[in-house]
Amino acid sequence: DQQVKQNSPSLSVQEGRISILNCDYTNSMFDYFLWYKKYPAEGPTFLISISSIKDKNEDGRFTVFLNKSAKHLSLHIVPSQPGDSAVYFCAASEGGQFYFGTGTSLTVIP
Amino acid sequence: KAGVTQTPRYLIKTRGQQVTLSCSPISGHRSVSWYQQTPGQGLQFLFEYFSETQRNKGNFPGRFSGRQFSNSRSEMNVSTLELGDSALYLCASSLVPEKTGTEAFFGQGTRLTVV
């Protein structure tokens, strides 16, 4: 059973606009949430994370929001750039065990 | 500091054969996890090793096995390969897996093609 879900397999956004990637989870015991970015033929690279005790974490153009009551996580990228085009995976952790979503392919159109 | 190294990068095998993939974690990292990535399935967890012991296992058949050595390097083996085993196999290492706030760092993966 998929404990972390990314229901949008793909997303297209104009350069300069905001990209919003969404993620839902089912396990209320998850205590740490992460976003990874993956280019073709490369392994995922860590992007940004958030602890379950927070509801927002910001790092430059990237902001992650956590809504624990809704068990929902989102990644905002603003402004979006063509180099952001990649597959984004959300992940949740419980006791160090990582659970990944199926990924959302983001295309930023110049 | 060297990252996670996976070898080989690419592999072509025939159905029925077996294959062994290797992963060297970041120096000092003792937890190594393996994932299978296929289109539409995301990252499927295979197993996790810590201090040479398998601590967690995903929902994969017994054809998939692994081990970890005393230097934390890990190998993954798939026996009696099937066409559906074609995928990108990713290895990730982490420093203190039980500690909240620990990220997993991935290697570049091994692209396995079964023909």
Side-chain angles (χ1 to χ4, degrees), chain B residues 24-77:
Chain B
S24 293
I26 291 171
S27 178
H29 286 195
R30 293 166 62 195
S31 171
V32 174
S33 298
W34 288 89
Y35 296 85
Q36 181 195 65
Q37 187 196 5
T38 53
Q41 293 296 314
L43 295 171
Q44 302 284 309
F45 173 72
L46 280 153
F47 27 66
E48 185 240 350
Y49 286 88
F50 182 78
S51 294
E52 302 177 65
T53 301
Q54 186 183 89
R55 296 197 306 175
N56 295 293
K57 190 176 191 303
N59 189 26
F60 277 80
R63 300 185 296 108
F64 292 81
S65 63
R67 58 178 177 169
Q68 187 180 34
F69 302 94
S70 58
N71 61 359
S72 293
R73 189 177 72 86
S74 178
E75 287 183 346
M76 190 192 97
N77 185 77

Side-chain angles (χ1 to χ4, degrees), chain A residues 5-12 20-23 35 38 86-89 101-107, chain B residues 37-42:
Chain A
K5 296 179 183 179
Q6 292 176 259
N7 292 317
S8 297
S10 62
L11 175 69
S12 291
I20 300 176
L21 296 97
N22 294 301
C23 179
W35 284 95
K38 185 181 184 300
V87 177
Y88 289 78
F89 291 97
T102 52
T104 296
S105 177
L106 173 66
T107 301
Chain B
Q37 187 196 5
T38 53
Q41 293 296 314

Side-chain angles (χ1 to χ4, degrees), chain B residues 12-14 21 34 39 44 50 53 78-80 91 100 103-104:
Chain B
I12 300 176
K13 289 285 188 178
T14 305
L21 312 181
W34 288 89
Q44 302 284 309
F50 182 78
T53 301
V78 187
S79 62
T80 321
C91 164
T100 294
E103 293 88 45

Side-chain angles (χ1 to χ4, degrees), chain B residues 8 58 102:
Chain B
T102 299

Side-chain angles (χ1 to χ4, degrees), chain A residues 21-106:
Chain A
L21 296 97
N22 294 301
C23 179
D24 296 298
Y25 61 95
T26 57
N27 186 349
S28 58
M29 298 301 292
F30 287 142
D31 53 14
Y32 193 57
F33 302 87
L34 312 91
W35 284 95
Y36 284 82
K37 178 179 177 180
K38 185 181 184 300
Y39 292 117
E42 293 184 14
T45 54
F46 170 73
L47 193 58
I48 192 169
S49 63
I50 187 168
S51 165
S52 61
I53 62 173
K54 295 186 176 182
D55 54 20
K56 178 183 175 182
N57 187 27
E58 197 170 348
D59 184 3
R61 296 185 298 113
F62 302 91
T63 303
V64 56
F65 294 91
L66 176 63
N67 182 334
K68 280 185 292 182
S69 60
K71 295 192 178 67
H72 181 78
L73 186 72
S74 64
L75 174 68
H76 292 209
I77 306 173
V78 55
S80 300
Q81 299 173 354
D84 296 330
S85 297
V87 177
Y88 289 78
F89 291 97
C90 70
S93 169
E94 178 192 359
Q97 172 89 45
F98 294 95
Y99 299 83
F100 286 84
T102 52
T104 296
S105 177
L106 173 66

